Every structure is written in structure tokens, then in C-alpha cells.
Amino acid sequence: MTTKDIDESVSAELNRLRESIDNIDAAVVHMLAERFKCTQQVGHLKAAHQLPPADPARESRQIARLRQLAESAHLDPAFAEKLLNFIVAEVIRHHERIAEESANGDAGA
């Protein structure tokens, strides 16, 4: 069966749902961009004060918090944890780069 073979009302509903998904995806990307803007500022602050790029205690609290939020939202907490771990790994990578640039006197790059 191809999309052409689908009843017109089903096709319209499918398109409506897909447009909603596309809008949500765009919002997720924009929210992640905002999150990374904030974490970049954290990275610069940590570098300026020679703090370590990672904060395992904070990460543990965030994982617990996100798992609770996921449960409340009827989202698989394990999936939410995997997503946060992926994001945090990227944040730490950014913080390490910022710290290295700061140590090399390259903070504006």
C-alpha cells in the first residue's frame, strides 16, 4: 500500500500529525540550542576558576530529577536517562575544550 492508496481523511490526519511532530522537533532543537548556550557560559565560568569540566554529583542529581520528570510525563525513564547522558557527554566535551582554550590563553576563540 502506498500513500496514494490511503483514504483522504486518513492521509489528512497523518499529515496533521506529522506537521505537529515537525513543529515539536523544531522546538526540541531550539531548546537544546538554548541549553547549550547556558552550558557554554558554565564552561567559561568553570575554566576561569579552574573547576573540573564534569560534576558527577550534579549529573547524578540531574539524572534522578529527569527520571522523575519522565515518569510523570509517561516517558520511559531509561530513555530520558540515555538522552541526558548523551547531552551531558557533549557538554563535558565542550567544557574540556573551553578549559583547554582558557589554559592556552585562547579564551576568545
Side-chain angles (χ1 to χ4, degrees), residues 1-12 14-15 18:
M1 179 178 269
T2 65
T3 307
K4 289 187 260 182
D5 299 328
I6 297 175
D7 180 86
E8 192 173 307
S9 65
V10 173
S11 182
L14 185 59
N15 287 335
R18 286 178 172 164

